Amino acid sequence: MATPAAMLEGVAPPQPPGTDMTGICFRDQLWLNTYPLDRNLVFDYFALSPFYDWTCNNEQLRMRSLHPLDLSQLTKMTGTEFVLSEVMEPHLFLIRKQKRDSPDKVTPMLAYYILDGSIYQAPQLCNVFAARIGRALYYIEKAFTTAASKLEKIGYAGPVDSETETASLESKVAKETIDLKEVKRVDHILASLQRKLPPAPPPPPFPEGYVPPSTAETEKGTETQESAEPQAPQVDPIIDQGPAKRMKF
């Protein structure tokens, strides 16, 4: 087992209690190539990382040349300690940091796991919930933004995606659907109103001296209008007679 002085060489200074180190990872490939990673040596490897607390009870056992994970000795002490809670050799090791107040009373503080030689600090449950909720809210907001942008395209010309085309087609079909009962109801109302109204008055007679053109002449003039030369516009007979000769109704 390496001495504490040798382990202190090249090791980062310990972080103050409560420091969040979930964003860092520790790995010593030279140590992994030299020693096997098992339950007997895993704590020595963990002591090289910046997650290790040099004031813990395990370090006192190491100074007394005792195994640092000996529970028979740790239960006799009080203070901060590390225990090996889960082991799946040689890939996964779970180390829990806790505060011991008595042989039967401990308070969990933090958890660390060694996955294939890389050491991580496990995040706290509240941080996991906050991250998951924040991610869910982000995707919900993004979904509402996408839906709002697609709704704005409905009714506008131009290429749109298949969802917008489907929505526009359904809206168009709904508008073109005719309710026969509603049509009959409107026709009945119009017929009843027509019966109540008086008959329309006859059209006023033409002014004196005005002869309307015949239908044959009108059609003939329409066919030859494109090839004929432009002629002077006809004089309105009502304006030509002057205001004194206009008929009064």
Side-chain angles (χ1 to χ4, degrees):
M1 183 180 299
T3 60
M7 291 184 178
L8 284 174
E9 297 179 358
V11 178
Q15 300 292 332
T19 302
D20 184 11
M21 293 187 289
T22 55
I24 65 175
C25 169
F26 175 81
R27 183 181 182 88
D28 191 341
Q29 191 62 43
L30 181 61
W31 192 97
L32 294 173
N33 295 336
T34 306
Y35 304 98
L37 191 61
D38 54 16
R39 65 178 65 240
N40 295 322
L41 298 178
V42 66
F43 194 83
D44 295 336
Y45 179 61
F46 178 75
L48 300 176
S49 68
F51 308 109
Y52 186 63
D53 187 359
W54 292 93
T55 63
C56 63
N57 298 334
N58 308 84
E59 185 62 26
Q60 297 182 21
L61 295 180
R62 297 177 71 189
M63 295 176 65
R64 291 158 51 185
S65 300
L66 299 175
H67 196 280
L69 298 178
D70 190 356
L71 288 178
S72 62
Q73 299 293 331
L74 291 175
T75 54
K76 300 177 182 178
M77 308 170 69
T78 59
T80 304
E81 65 182 17
F82 293 93
V83 294
L84 189 63
S85 58
E86 299 290 341
V87 177
M88 293 179 61
E89 293 180 340
H91 301 290
L92 179 63
F93 301 87
L94 182 60
I95 298 177
R96 184 173 67 248
K97 183 180 182 180
Q98 59 189 16
K99 182 181 180 182
R100 180 174 296 276
D101 299 326
S102 65
D104 300 329
K105 183 180 179 181
V106 292
T107 303
M109 300 173 61
L110 294 171
Y112 307 91
Y113 59 95
I114 305 174
L115 180 62
D116 292 332
S118 300
I119 306 178
Y120 306 88
Q121 177 181 335
Q124 297 185 5
L125 190 59
C126 59
N127 296 334
V128 174
F129 284 160
R132 296 293 177 85
I133 293 174
R135 183 179 300 177
L137 291 177
Y138 167 77
Y139 284 112
I140 290 174
E141 183 180 0
K142 185 177 180 180
F144 275 107
T145 304
T146 305
S149 63
K150 290 185 178 181
L151 289 175
E152 292 177 357
K153 296 179 181 178
I154 296 178
Y156 291 88
V160 293
D161 54 6
S162 58
E163 297 180 1
T164 307
E165 291 179 355
T166 305
S168 302
L169 182 59
E170 293 177 355
S171 177
K172 184 178 180 181
V173 171
K175 290 181 180 179
E176 293 180 354
T177 303
I178 300 175
D179 191 356
L180 296 179
K181 294 182 179 180
E182 190 68 20
V183 172
K184 292 181 179 180
R185 176 174 172 273
V186 174
D187 291 343
H188 178 71
I189 294 174
L190 294 177
S192 61
L193 292 176
Q194 186 178 5
R195 288 193 298 268
K196 293 179 182 179
L197 293 175
F206 289 103
E208 183 180 356
Y210 174 73
V211 179
S214 61
T215 308
E217 293 179 356
T218 305
E219 294 179 356
K220 184 178 180 181
T222 305
E223 293 177 357
T224 58
Q225 183 178 2
E226 297 180 358
S227 60
E229 297 180 357
Q231 300 177 359
Q234 298 180 358
V235 181
D236 190 349
I238 299 180
I239 300 177
D240 187 53
Q241 294 177 7
K245 296 182 180 181
R246 291 180 181 176
M247 299 181 64
K248 297 181 179 180
F249 302 97

